[in-house]
């Protein structure tokens, strides 16, 4: 990998006058490191923000959407599947899904659990986490059609009260009271 020409390094890093050869691949890391150092004094704890006047404001549960608490950041779906009755009900619905290509009807509990988790992830993403009210940038862009969407929605309706309860508890434990 070639070194960055000195005239470019002087533009990118004006405070650092060095004759060290910098490789092109190191530029993103070096740029981000200097930005982090410059902004580190401005960092604030995640559940606290500042208003227009600069006063500190503590977020309340009502300020946060429950859709933001999903399988990407916590074990919400594993929690739902840990309830034996709910797991049994989920399995009954999962066995009926049309896009079940690998014979889940007769699968063992571990395989069924993995498949149920995959279906719940699809449900959560499709009917909660991916939904936003922003305007599309590109005309003609549409959501993907999910096979078996009606069956997925039925599954989602069954688990959403438990997911919302989990998300509320998750937030309550993390917010400063």
């Amino acid at each position: 990998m070639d070194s960055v020409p000195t005239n470019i390094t002087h533009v990118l890093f004006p405070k650092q006058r060095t004759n060290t050869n910098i490789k092109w691949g190191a530029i993103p890391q070096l740029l981000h490191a200097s930005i982090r150092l410059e902004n580190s004094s401005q960092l604030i704890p995640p559940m606290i923000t500042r208003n227009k006047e600069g006063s500190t404001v503590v977020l309340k549960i009502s300020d946060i959407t429950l859709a933001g608490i999903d399988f990407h950041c916590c074990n919400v779906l594993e929690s739902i599947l840990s309830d034996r009755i709910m797991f049994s009900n989920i399995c009954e619905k999962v066995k009926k899904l049309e896009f079940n290509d690998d014979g889940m009807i007769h699968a063992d509990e571990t395989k069924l659990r993995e498949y149920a988790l995959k279906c719940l992830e699809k449900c959560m993403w499709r009917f909660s986490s991916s939904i936003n009210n922003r305007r599309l940038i590109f005309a003609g862009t549409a959501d993907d059609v999910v096979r078996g969407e009606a069956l997925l929605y039925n599954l989602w309706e069954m688990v959403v009260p438990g997911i919302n309860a989990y998300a509320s508890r998750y937030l309550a434990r993390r917010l400063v009271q």
Side-chain angles (χ1 to χ4, degrees), residues 130-144:
S130 71
I131 295 174
N132 67 63
N133 295 318
R134 294 176 291 206
R135 190 170 41 105
L136 293 176
I137 295 174
F138 303 107
T141 304
D143 289 339
D144 295 334

Side-chain angles (χ1 to χ4, degrees), residues 65-106:
T65 177
L66 293 181
I69 311 302
D70 70 2
F71 62 93
H72 292 100
C73 65
C74 64
N75 294 327
V76 59
L77 298 179
E78 288 84 354
S79 172
I80 296 297
L81 290 174
S82 68
D83 179 323
R84 299 296 299 162
I85 295 171
M86 182 61 77
F87 177 68
S88 176
N89 292 336
I90 290 169
C91 288
E92 290 305 311
K93 290 212 183 275
V94 163
K95 288 176 182 177
K96 295 177 185 175
L97 291 174
E98 292 174 13
F99 56 86
N100 181 356
D101 297 328
D102 46 2
M104 282 295 147
I105 291 175
H106 302 294

Side-chain angles (χ1 to χ4, degrees), residues 12 33 38 53 56 61 66 69 82 94 106 109 115 150 168 171:
L12 293 175
E38 289 172 14
E53 294 79 33
T56 302
I61 288 178
L66 293 181
I69 311 302
S82 68
V94 163
H106 302 294
E109 187 171 323
Y115 188 71
S168 295
L171 287 174

Side-chain angles (χ1 to χ4, degrees), residues 145-161:
V145 175
V146 177
R147 288 192 304 158
E149 188 163 310
L151 292 170
L152 276 177
Y153 191 74
N154 289 337
L155 177 60
W156 176 247
E157 283 186 317
M158 183 176 73
V159 298
V160 76

